[in-house]
């Protein structure tokens, strides 16, 4: 009888109950808090990734291949993941879009990261990433991806390191045997700034329906196009653009240019884009700009008081305790903008950072999740 | 201008008591207090600037050590037929729980490691190996106790709503049982800590309503249920024939933790020489005045580096109260600088060995069981802080 019961029980359930027994034994700590001390890649719940290859394709970019742990649910071409690395004791997290096809057979993801002059994480990864480095990962997220069924005609536009999500779309479509018209228009300063050039050439050679167009903004010879984006570029590379879906990712200038051209043409509906958060300039310390309380849809002009007081002045009631920076009851996520900690005088312009409302003053435009 | 008495008792003296006049109090001017506040702020900033890899390694090493003791302790309890091994197992599990609660839990939940932005060390999500739910403890401890430190009537850590720990608390015959209550609190300390945020005396007096209390009780039920299940059901059951010895061992480990944490915590605020304050004295405090109150209201315990780790560095209670959100393992390096500041401004720096401090705590517990009229008060040299009302 016992044997019968045993065979009837689905194995996933018994695995689950064994797991919950282990979790009860580890309570109140998560099992991963034990496992990570032995091997950071052996995790029950947390998603992590191990760098399995590091390749520096241009002077300022690095391409990492990452093997995620078993919790990884895959991604759709165009989406991003959050990658976390420890720099001087602090875990910093940034969003990157995989550049590989969503069907990559080994299940690994490929990230190409451009080292920005002020980019703490990108600089770190460019300089220090090594095979075996374990990073923290989030599941893929973001609404920038291809619809299904796939459109008949697709125009992909990218600039600089914005190449990664649209390259992923290109590779994914090719893996699907896509037969519609497909143009990939990429902007770079010069030919030396193009990541994946060899790969792009190979794709163009192998696929009749795919057109790869390289446009250089700082170089007048070579490549296919020169100068900045405009309707003439569109006419030249994808005359069918008004019947196509366009996917765009790149630096703010390119984004603005394409957006205004599409708006003029009345085609904004067909344009899909991934916005890079523009780096925030640290402005002089005075009460300027607006404070956005994003969860409650309230915007107030910055009065120079602490964020806790400003939220209360705006009629909101965030949780607080000591109102002097001790108890962390008021901790909230600053999504964007620059702030000063009045206790330390420290300025902070990192997005998605937890701050204590009661001892933090906004500098310029700031958005807070309250 | 008025006085803050420095004494075992909170006898407000305004220069009127003959006994108090015989002693020369330290007088701090308004400007001195502000200057002291600035110097402490700078000390804090210098330390924050240093935080980095070493602090991260430190806390990870402590966690590794704690996990090691935990696993070894639980494993050794499988050998109850070898009494010394079994006893060592109980001890190791006790050590693991002490580290978990003090150097890890207490400090992480103060936000000391939030800057690492590591989910496992974040004050908002961290839970510790004790029956009190983290969120309730953070309210009663981080907020109530650290904001209103030693203000009689506001800081509920003065006597935990059970004991008479200050002469400012009105005596009644209930307090004849003071030593008994203290002994029970020590033995069942984790449960006392759990019930703390309920403010049971306010429930009895009808000041707290059911809808205030219900969510707290639900949280306790969930948290304590899991703790009890783990220590008193799952692990004993897993040891099969040794169910009873493992159960007893786990009770023992929890008891070791209770006795130790109670003793360390009571040494932080109740030895002779620690001052208490009234609500009037502390109304509209400036940051400098807040710092002074933290220094006068806390006491340190001297000991070896190992002793400091095992007390979660709460042996540096003065430094902890000045900078509750700085990683505690930095307190030993801050202590000499804090002491220099105390000397500079003529402030006492209450520090003594463990036995001296705990002895004076128990002395006070016995003494305050009786009304003040029977025991008499012994005011000592006070600190007088000149206060200017902050202009509105
Ligand atoms: S309210 Fe206590 S830290 Fe902000």
């Amino acid at each position: 009888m016992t044997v019968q019961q045993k065979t009837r029980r689905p194995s996933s359930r018994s695995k689950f109950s064994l797991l919950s027994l282990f979790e009860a034994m580890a309570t109140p700590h998560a099992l991963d808090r034990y496992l990570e001390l032995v091997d950071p890649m052996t995790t029950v719940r947390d998603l992590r990734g191990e760098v399995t290859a590091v390749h520096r394709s241009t002077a300022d970019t690095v391409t990492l291949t990452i093997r995620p742990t078993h919790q990884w649910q895959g991604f759709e071409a165009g989406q991003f993941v959050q990658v976390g690395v420890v720099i001087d004791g602090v875990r910093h997290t940034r969003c990157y879009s995989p550049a590989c096809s969503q069907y990559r057979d080994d299940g690994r993801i490929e990230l190409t990261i451009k080292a920005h002059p002020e980019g703490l994480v990108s600089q770190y990864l460019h300089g220090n990433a090594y095979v075996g480095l374990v990073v923290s990962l989030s599941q893929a997220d973001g609404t920038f991806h291809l619809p299904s069924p796939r459109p008949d005609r697709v125009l992909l536009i990218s600039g600089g390191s914005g190449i990664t999500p649209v390259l992923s779309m290109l590779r994914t479509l090719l893996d699907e045997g896509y037969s519609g018209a497909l143009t990939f228009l990429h902007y770079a300063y010069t030919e030396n700034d193009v990541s994946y050039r060899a790969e792009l050439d190979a794709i163009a050679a192998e696929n009749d329906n795919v057109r790869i167009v390289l446009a250089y903004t700082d170089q007048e010879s070579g490549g296919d196009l020169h100068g900045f984006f405009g309707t003439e570029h569109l006419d030249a590379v994808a005359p069918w653009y008004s019947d196509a879906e366009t996917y765009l990712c790149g630096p703010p200038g390119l984004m603005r240019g394409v957006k205004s051209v599409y708006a003029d043409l009345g085609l904004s509906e067909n344009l899909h884009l991934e916005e890079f958060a523009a780096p925030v300039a640290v402005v002089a310390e005075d009460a300027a700009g607006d404070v956005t309380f994003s969860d409650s849809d309230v915007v107030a002009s910055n009065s120079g008081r602490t964020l806790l007081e400003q939220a209360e002045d705006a009629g909101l009631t965030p949780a607080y305790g000591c109102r002097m920076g001790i108890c962390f009851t008021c901790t909230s996520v600053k999504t964007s903008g620059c702030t000063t900690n009045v206790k330390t005088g420290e300025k902070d312009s990192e997005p998605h950072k937890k701050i204590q409302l009661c001892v933090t003053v906004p500098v310029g435009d700031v958005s807070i999740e309250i | 201008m008025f006085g803050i008495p420095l004494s075992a008792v909170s006898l407000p003296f305004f220069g009127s008591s003959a006994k108090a006049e015989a002693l020369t109090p330290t007088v701090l001017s308004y400007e001195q207090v502000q200057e002291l506040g600035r110097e402490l702020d700078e000390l804090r900033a210098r330390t924050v600037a240093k935080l980095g890899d070493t602090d991260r390694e430190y806390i990870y090493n402590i966690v590794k050590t704690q996990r090691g003791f935990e696993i070894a302790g639980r494993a050794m309890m499988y050998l109850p037929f070898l009494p010394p091994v079994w006893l060592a197992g109980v001890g190791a599990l006790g050590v693991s729980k002490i580290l978990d609660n003090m150097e890890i839990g207490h400090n992480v939940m103060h936000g000391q490691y939030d800057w690492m932005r590591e989910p496992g060390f974040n004050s908002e999500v961290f839970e510790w190996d004790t029956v009190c739910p983290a969120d309730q403890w953070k309210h009663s401890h981080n907020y109530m106790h650290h904001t209103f430190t030693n203000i009689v009537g506001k800081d509920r850590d003065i006597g935990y709503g059970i004991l008479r720990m200050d002469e400012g608390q009105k005596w009644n015959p209930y307090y004849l049982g003071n030593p008994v209550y203290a002994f029970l609190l020590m033995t069942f300390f984790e449960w006392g800590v759990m019930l703390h945020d309920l403010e049971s005396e306010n429930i009895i007096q009808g000041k707290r309503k059911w809808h205030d209390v219900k969510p707290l009780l639900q949280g306790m039920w969930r948290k304590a249920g899991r703790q009890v299940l783990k220590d008193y059901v799952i692990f004993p059951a897993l040891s099969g024939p040794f169910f009873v010895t493992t159960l007893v061992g786990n009770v023992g480990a929890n008891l070791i933790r209770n006795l130790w944490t109670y003793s360390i915590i009571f040494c932080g605020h109740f030895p002779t020489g620690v001052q208490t304050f009234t609500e009037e004295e502390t109304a509209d405090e400036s940051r400098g005045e807040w710092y002074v109150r933290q220094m006068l209201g806390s006491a340190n315990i001297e000991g070896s580096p190992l002793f400091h780790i095992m007390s979660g560095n709460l042996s540096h209670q003065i430094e902890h109260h000045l900078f509750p959100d700085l990683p505690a393992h930095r307190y030993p390096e801050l202590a000499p600088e804090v002491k220099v500041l105390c000397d500079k401004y003529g402030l006492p720096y209450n520090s003594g060995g463990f036995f001296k401090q705990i002895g004076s705590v128990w002395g006070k517990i016995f003494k305050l069981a009786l009304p003040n009229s029977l025991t008499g008060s012994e005011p000592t040299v006070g600190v007088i802080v000149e206060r200017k009302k902050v202009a509105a």
Side-chain angles (χ1 to χ4, degrees):
Chain A
M1 172 120 178
T2 348
V3 176
Q4 237 181 358
Q5 258 180 351
K6 255 187 192 153
T7 47
R8 253 194 290 138
R9 193 188 295 155
S11 68
S12 67
R13 183 126 148 254
S14 65
K15 220 168 98 193
F16 172 74
S17 58
L18 195 62
L19 178 62
S20 42
L21 174 65
F22 279 124
E23 290 193 324
M25 286 163 70
T27 197
H29 305 299
L31 266 184
D32 289 339
R33 300 285 88 76
Y34 288 81
L35 296 173
E36 70 193 357
L37 300 176
V38 183
D39 172 16
M41 285 296 285
T42 310
T43 71
V44 174
R45 308 251 172 224
D46 293 0
L47 174 58
R48 300 209 181 97
E50 183 183 10
V51 173
T52 57
V54 179
H55 172 66
R56 291 178 176 81
S57 49
T58 68
D60 59 356
T61 60
V62 60
T63 298
L64 307 177
T65 308
I66 294 176
R67 174 176 68 87
T69 48
H70 67 91
Q71 300 86 350
W72 174 241
Q73 290 162 5
F75 70 105
E76 283 193 69
Q79 289 189 308
F80 61 84
V81 292
Q82 292 182 37
V83 178
V85 288
V86 176
I87 305 169
D88 196 19
V90 182
R91 183 170 295 281
H92 295 269
T93 306
R94 293 290 186 277
C95 297
Y96 296 107
S97 303
C100 52
S101 160
Q102 68 188 53
Y103 305 113
R104 194 183 153 117
D105 345 311
D106 60 6
R108 297 184 185 185
I109 49 177
E110 177 188 309
L111 304 178
T112 291
I113 295 154
K114 182 174 173 1
H116 291 280
E118 293 103 48
L120 181 68
V121 174
S122 62
Q123 291 270 6
Y124 175 84
L125 287 173
H126 185 255
N128 303 289
Y130 57 91
V131 172
L133 173 71
V134 174
V135 298
S136 55
L137 285 181
S138 71
Q139 296 291 354
D141 201 358
T143 52
F144 184 62
H145 54 77
L146 296 162
S148 49
R150 306 306 193 200
D152 293 336
R153 297 189 176 104
V154 174
L155 171 58
L156 303 171
I157 306 175
S158 61
S161 53
I163 191 172
T164 59
V166 290
L167 178 62
S168 173
M169 290 177 173
L170 174 64
R171 288 164 150 184
T172 298
L173 288 172
L174 292 177
D175 279 353
E176 288 173 356
Y178 182 74
S179 57
L182 177 50
T183 293
F184 184 95
L185 169 57
H186 178 68
Y187 287 83
Y189 296 127
T190 69
E191 58 193 3
N192 297 328
D193 297 305
V194 182
S195 319
Y196 294 106
R197 237 173 80 204
E199 163 124 26
L200 291 172
D201 289 346
I203 290 174
E206 283 163 29
N207 298 279
D208 294 338
N209 62 326
V210 178
R211 195 160 167 205
I212 305 282
V213 183
L214 294 177
Y216 299 134
T217 53
D218 284 9
Q219 180 180 323
E220 269 145 39
S221 59
D224 308 294
L225 291 171
H226 304 97
F228 294 106
F229 177 82
T231 25
E232 62 297 348
H233 282 193
L234 264 186
D235 291 330
V237 303
W240 35 257
Y241 62 84
S242 57
D243 295 324
E245 297 296 326
T246 300
Y247 296 86
L248 162 70
C249 183
L254 177 68
M255 304 286 275
R256 270 196 305 274
V258 179
K259 264 199 280 190
S260 78
V261 167
Y262 270 66
D264 291 347
L265 292 168
L267 290 174
S268 296
E269 292 266 290
N270 298 5
L271 179 64
H272 313 275
L273 38 90
E274 176 84 304
E275 206 102 41
F276 274 147
V280 192
V282 178
V283 299
E285 195 165 350
D286 54 7
D290 285 338
V291 184
T292 307
F293 304 104
S294 58
D295 285 0
S296 25
D297 259 340
V298 176
V299 180
S301 68
N302 176 6
S303 65
R305 298 176 13 113
T306 66
L307 280 166
L308 181 58
E309 290 169 310
Q310 297 207 34
E312 288 171 340
D313 292 346
L316 307 175
T317 51
Y320 66 83
C322 64
R323 300 184 77 102
M324 54 193 304
I326 303 165
C327 69
F328 290 81
T329 310
C330 64
T331 302
S332 301
V333 175
K334 173 193 73 178
T335 36
S336 66
C338 174
T339 52
T340 306
N341 181 320
V342 294
K343 254 163 83 180
T344 61
E346 239 178 70
K347 282 217 172 54
D348 187 284
S349 49
E350 240 181 83
H352 294 284
K353 186 155 174 203
K354 287 191 178 144
I355 51 154
Q356 289 162 282
L357 298 177
C358 66
V359 287
T360 304
V361 169
V363 183
D365 288 345
V366 166
S367 177
I368 301 275
E369 282 181 11
I370 307 177
Chain B
M1 176 173 165
F2 65 86
I4 297 175
L6 169 68
S7 66
V9 298
S10 174
L11 173 74
F13 76 89
F14 297 84
S16 57
S17 140
K19 223 174 170 186
E21 262 171 355
L23 303 158
T24 4
T26 303
V27 181
L28 280 187
S29 73
Y30 178 78
E31 286 71 26
Q32 278 179 306
V33 173
Q34 304 312 306
E35 180 57 22
L36 172 61
R38 262 192 302 279
E39 289 183 80
L40 286 167
D41 279 342
E42 273 167 31
L43 178 55
R44 181 182 191 285
R46 281 204 299 277
T47 311
V48 169
K50 280 191 249 173
L51 300 183
D53 279 333
T54 47
D55 304 84
R56 187 185 179 90
E57 272 160 36
Y58 174 82
I59 194 68
Y60 269 93
N61 282 336
I62 293 288
V63 168
K64 261 188 208 161
T65 310
Q66 180 265 321
R67 303 290 199 247
F69 273 106
E70 180 178 4
I71 291 164
R74 299 220 185 255
M76 284 193 277
M77 268 190 251
Y78 279 96
L79 307 170
F81 39 85
L82 297 173
V85 175
W86 182 84
L87 271 179
V90 177
L93 188 58
V95 167
S96 140
K97 284 180 180 265
I98 287 169
L99 284 174
D100 179 287
N101 289 184
M102 305 200 85
E103 187 66 340
I104 304 169
H106 170 272
N107 293 337
V108 167
M109 288 190 290
H110 259 292
Q112 293 181 1
Y113 296 93
D114 280 4
W115 56 271
M116 297 198 316
R117 280 185 251 164
E118 197 61 64
F121 291 90
N122 182 286
S123 61
E124 275 170 87
V125 293
F126 193 87
E127 263 296 352
W128 52 350
D129 187 5
T130 173
V131 291
C132 178
D135 55 338
Q136 296 186 23
W137 181 81
K138 280 182 282 183
H139 178 260
S140 65
H141 181 85
N142 286 10
Y143 170 44
M144 298 296 281
H145 170 60
H146 274 271
T147 312
F148 306 113
T149 313
N150 281 28
I151 301 178
V152 179
K154 280 193 123 174
D155 180 1
R156 299 184 31 80
D157 277 26
I158 303 179
Y160 286 77
I162 308 167
L163 304 177
R164 185 162 182 259
M165 290 308 296
D166 187 88
E167 279 197 21
Q169 292 169 279
K170 222 173 143 272
W171 184 86
N172 67 52
Y174 161 86
Y175 288 120
L176 286 170
N178 223 28
V180 179
Y181 313 143
F183 183 78
L184 290 173
L185 178 61
M186 173 172 77
T187 311
F188 299 102
F189 193 55
E190 66 168 325
W191 299 95
V193 170
M194 177 186 85
L195 296 171
H196 193 35
D197 206 34
L198 271 186
E199 306 185 6
S200 45
E201 78 279 16
N202 287 336
I203 299 174
I204 294 165
Q205 291 168 22
K207 288 189 214 154
R208 285 205 108 177
K209 296 282 168 289
W210 174 241
H211 65 259
D212 298 328
V213 173
K214 194 178 159 205
L216 297 179
L217 288 174
Q218 285 169 334
M220 290 174 195
W221 177 251
R222 257 197 313 273
K223 179 75 200 295
R226 283 188 202 137
Q227 293 291 130
V228 167
L229 187 71
K230 167 175 96 158
D231 274 345
Y232 305 144
V233 180
I234 293 181
F235 276 106
L238 285 173
S239 49
F242 309 129
F243 186 96
V244 176
T245 51
T246 302
L247 177 69
V248 170
N250 288 356
V251 170
N254 279 326
L255 182 65
I256 293 173
R257 181 267 320 272
N258 285 354
L259 303 183
W260 180 253
T261 49
Y262 164 94
S263 302
I264 295 298
I265 287 159
F266 271 56
C267 284
H269 295 290
F270 305 125
T272 308
V274 166
Q275 286 188 217
T276 55
F277 308 85
T278 64
E279 290 185 43
E280 302 79 66
E281 279 170 337
T282 51
D284 299 317
E285 252 178 352
S286 66
R287 183 151 177 87
E289 288 164 341
W290 181 83
Y291 272 136
V292 172
R293 174 159 58 85
Q294 300 305 322
M295 289 195 278
L296 299 179
S298 315
N300 283 5
I301 316 167
E302 286 152 15
S304 65
L306 182 63
F307 175 83
H308 293 314
I309 291 173
M310 292 306 289
S311 66
N313 276 296
L314 293 179
S315 44
H316 289 99
Q317 192 71 236
I318 299 173
E319 288 72 26
H320 174 57
H321 263 267
L322 293 173
F323 311 114
D325 57 350
L326 288 185
H329 77 106
R330 294 271 180 185
Y331 295 153
E333 87 187 34
L334 289 172
E337 300 202 47
V338 172
K339 195 161 184 312
V340 165
L341 285 177
C342 282
D343 292 345
K344 177 173 164 191
Y345 291 93
L347 292 169
Y349 185 84
N350 191 337
S351 186
F354 176 72
F355 292 105
K356 175 183 161 229
Q357 302 292 58
I358 195 71
S360 82
V361 168
W362 279 103
K364 195 188 263 189
I365 289 170
F366 276 92
K367 184 179 155 194
L368 292 180
L370 301 170
N372 298 351
S373 53
L374 283 179
T375 55
S377 341
E378 314 148 22
T380 48
V381 182
V383 174
I384 293 181
V385 174
E386 244 180 42
R387 290 173 37 118
K388 265 185 221 154
K389 257 282 198 227
V390 186

